[in-house]
């Protein structure tokens, strides 16, 4: 650390910098020094760390495998990690299909209502869907400034798809997405018929356990998390000034989400800043003193977070575009969250215009100050199979995983909870937005579940579950 400060002292005396530029440089060197000195290393969960979870599931007759010793565990955890990572490309294909359904940056054709409406009962794509597939295929070779289209083109090239086969490949992926979406809808309907509400919650909590790992993200789950933290603070379950380090698992990228799929603004991530702001707004910590860490499997997500942090250390702000579908009829509290988002970390700016082909959308935009972008750090980590080591008291005080663990079965969710507990400080808080298995590491104490509605009818919302590190 001393070397860093000596460097700054010599630089300050030899070079004239304006206050803001010098402040960013100070922060850059400080963070580089801190991260270099205490850089945690991603590693696989050890047999002894998973032993409690293995026993719980074996006793319940739900073991994920035959783990007689550390060697068997080491083989399994590495093969499972490879299998999970193998689902990333399928998730990218799902996001590309959402871009076909809803994208407005490459065509003026009408957007489709949802995935199910894009095909007949027997799975044949509609004329509207085929036209949008063709429009994307035609636009890809000409894409220069459109980063989503460049991403799609480079992905297809990496997958070895010949130029004359692009349209057929896009059609194939879209048909698969539609078929899978119909299966998920049927599963949801069946879960709602269950006599046991807990069973229905668990069914929804593992709904996507075989689905590709999506890179999508959205704003409202962050409102649910902040609202839950506000209630916890009011009830004394969490105390002011106790959050210093935040971990966001699976922050995602706003590529083309499953509900709306807006693509008329640059790729962005929301949750790391949303959590930093929630903690600051509620007085759980000071924004300028907190560190934010993200963990994701997708290289594009990790590169995006690393890039925004690097630009922040160079004094560049980070702008977030915030579309809101007016016809979705958000409740007043959800709408107020959207209206105030970013006011703690930045300032409102003029948003990008909404394309003429998209109706009923209102926009806000906010520029996050460079110092907060500079505080972000990303790790390539599979929370089901891997973890990070920290010195006592240097772990995370708040861990958030929304729309992430739903992609795994109960056994893998329990393993993830073991990994999360290992990375947390004593009395740290962990929140997710769906039910998690009752069989889990005793280090995590279940505090309860809270339903947060986004619409007055309650038809759209999230169930936030809360745990505390013993």
């Amino acid at each position: 650390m001393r070397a860093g400060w000596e460097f700054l002292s010599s630089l300050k005396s030899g070079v004239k910098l304006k206050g803001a530029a010098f402040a960013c440089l100070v922060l850059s060197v400080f963070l580089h020094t801190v991260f270099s000195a205490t850089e945690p290393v991603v590693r696989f969960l050890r047999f002894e760390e998973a032993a409690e979870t293995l026993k719980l599931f074996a006793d319940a007759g739900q073991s994920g495998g035959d783990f007689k010793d550390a060697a068997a565990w080491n083989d399994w955890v590495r093969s499972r990690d490879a299998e999970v990572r193998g689902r990333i490309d399928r998730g990218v294909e799902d996001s590309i299909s959402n871009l076909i359904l809803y994208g407005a940056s490459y065509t003026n054709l009408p957007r489709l209502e949802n995935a199910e409406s894009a095909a007949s009962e027997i799975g044949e794509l509609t004329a509207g869907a085929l036209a949008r597939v063709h429009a994307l295929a035609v636009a890809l070779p000409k894409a220069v400034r459109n980063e989503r289209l460049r991403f799609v083109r480079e992905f297809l090239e990496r997958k070895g798809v010949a130029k004359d086969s692009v349209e057929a490949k896009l059609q194939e992926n879209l048909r698969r997405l539609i078929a899978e979406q119909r299966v998920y809808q049927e599963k949801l309907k069946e879960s709602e018929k269950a006599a046991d509400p807990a069973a229905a919650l668990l069914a929804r909590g593992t709904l996507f356990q075989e689905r590709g790992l999506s890179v999508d993200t959205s704003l409202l789950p962050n409102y649910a998390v902040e609202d839950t933290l506000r209630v916890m603070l009011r009830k004394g379950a969490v105390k002011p000034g106790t959050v210093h380090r935040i971990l966001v698992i699976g922050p995602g990228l706003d590529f083309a989400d499953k509900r709306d799929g807006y693509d008329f603004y640059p790729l962005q991530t929301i949750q790391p800043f949303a959590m930093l702001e929630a903690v600051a707004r509620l007085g759980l910590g000071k924004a300028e003193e907190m560190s934010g860490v993200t963990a994701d499997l997708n290289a594009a997500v990790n590169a995006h977070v690393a890039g925004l942090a690097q630009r922040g250390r160079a004094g560049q702000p980070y702008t977030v575009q915030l579309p809101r579908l007016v016809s979705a009829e958000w409740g007043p509290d959800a709408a107020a969250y959207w209206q105030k988002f970013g006011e703690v970390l930045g300032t409102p700016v003029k948003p990008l215009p909404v394309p003429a082909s998209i109706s009923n959308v209102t926009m806000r935009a906010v520029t996050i100050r460079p110092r907060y972008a500079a505080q972000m750090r990303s790790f390539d980590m599979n929370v089901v199979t891997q973890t990070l080591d920290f010195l006592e008291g240097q772990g995370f005080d708040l861990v958030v995983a929304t729309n992430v663990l739903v992609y795994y079965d109960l056994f893998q969710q329990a393993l993830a909870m073991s990994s999360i507990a290992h990375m947390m400080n004593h009395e740290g808080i962990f929140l997710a937005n769906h039910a998690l298995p009752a069989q889990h590491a005793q280090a995590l104490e279940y505090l309860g579940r809270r339903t947060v509605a986004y619409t007055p009818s309650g038809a759209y919302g999230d169930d936030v579950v809360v745990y505390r590190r013993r």
Side-chain angles (χ1 to χ4, degrees), residues 17 82 86 144 177 247 293 309 340 355 408 410 426:
L17 290 175
V144 177
L177 174 75
L247 171 63
V293 172
K340 295 179 180 179
Y408 304 98
L410 294 178
H426 173 62

Side-chain angles (χ1 to χ4, degrees), residues 158-188:
R158 178 169 63 82
K159 299 294 287 184
V161 179
K163 292 181 180 180
D164 58 358
S165 301
V166 166
E167 195 162 343
K169 180 63 175 177
L170 295 176
Q171 291 180 14
E172 175 191 337
N173 285 336
L174 182 56
R175 283 193 294 269
R176 177 187 59 77
L177 174 75
I178 294 168
E180 289 180 356
Q181 192 62 31
R182 288 175 173 171
V183 171
Y184 298 139
Q185 293 300 322
E186 286 300 317
K187 287 183 178 179
L188 282 175

Side-chain angles (χ1 to χ4, degrees), residues 361-428:
V361 171
T362 185
M363 290 288 293
R364 281 189 70 238
V366 61
T367 291
I368 307 295
R369 297 184 188 96
R371 67 184 305 169
Y372 301 121
Q375 289 169 218
M376 298 301 164
R377 179 81 171 93
S378 64
F379 284 92
D380 180 332
M381 188 180 77
N382 179 357
V383 72
V384 170
T385 61
Q386 296 174 313
T387 194
L388 292 166
D389 292 324
F390 295 95
L391 297 174
E392 183 68 27
Q394 298 300 306
F396 299 109
D397 306 301
L398 176 65
V399 178
V400 176
T402 58
N403 300 326
V404 173
L405 298 182
V406 69
Y407 287 89
Y408 304 98
D409 61 28
L410 294 178
F411 176 62
Q412 292 176 89
Q413 289 177 357
L415 287 176
M417 295 172 78
S418 295
S419 170
I420 290 166
H422 177 78
M423 295 184 286
M424 292 174 69
N425 289 329
H426 173 62
E427 295 194 342

